[in-house]
Amino acid sequence: QVQLVESGGGLVQAGGSLRLSCAPSGRTFSSMTMGWFRQAPGKGREFVAVISWNGGSTSYADSVTGRFTISRDNAKNTMYLQMNSLKPEDTAVYYCAAKFGTIVTTGAQYPWWGQGTQVTVSS
């Protein structure tokens, strides 16, 4: 069983930055593909970014490309999402998710999810 815990959310003004962290339990983190998803009020869950098990491959949603950076430190068992130039439309609950195998951007293919961390961007 894999448990995921997100942290780093909060309230920030438009144009500001936040860094989210995801710390999975267990010793399988270094072999897992990890992703970030978000869900805004009244909207469905959407893909944000994903990183391969060794950090060699990443993929981003068009809406965050150039502003967000996904990374991981397998020695620290932690994944990060650096969010810069934040916009009010980035306001959402952000979830980290984990799976074995190749990078995918479809949330339904991730078996393990964290509880989420709220990010609020004020205008």
Side-chain angles (χ1 to χ4, degrees):
Q1 185 71 9
V2 177
Q3 293 183 324
L4 309 176
V5 179
E6 303 97 336
S7 61
L11 173 64
V12 64
Q13 288 188 329
S17 299
L18 282 175
R19 188 175 79 159
L20 306 183
S21 299
C22 175
S25 63
R27 293 175 288 181
T28 58
F29 171 74
S30 61
S31 61
M32 303 185 83
T33 290
M34 302 293 297
W36 287 100
F37 294 78
R38 67 186 182 186
Q39 186 166 16
K43 296 187 177 180
R45 181 179 60 196
E46 66 170 346
F47 165 73
V48 176
V50 61
I51 188 167
S52 62
W53 67 273
N54 62 354
S57 296
T58 58
S59 181
Y60 296 90
D62 289 344
S63 59
V64 306
T65 297
R67 300 188 298 122
F68 290 12
T69 303
I70 189 171
S71 62
R72 66 191 296 162
D73 185 338
N74 285 349
K76 295 183 178 180
N77 238 39
T78 305
M79 174 183 67
Y80 305 98
L81 184 68
Q82 178 66 44
M83 305 186 294
N84 298 329
S85 302
L86 283 161
K87 304 175 181 179
E89 51 263 44
D90 294 318
T91 295
V93 177
Y94 283 71
Y95 299 90
C96 70
K99 67 179 297 291
F100 290 106
T102 58
I103 283 181
V104 296
T105 61
T106 306
Q109 298 191 48
Y110 288 77
W112 296 284
W113 291 82
Q115 303 234 341
T117 185
Q118 176 71 46
V119 171
T120 303
V121 184
S122 63
S123 57

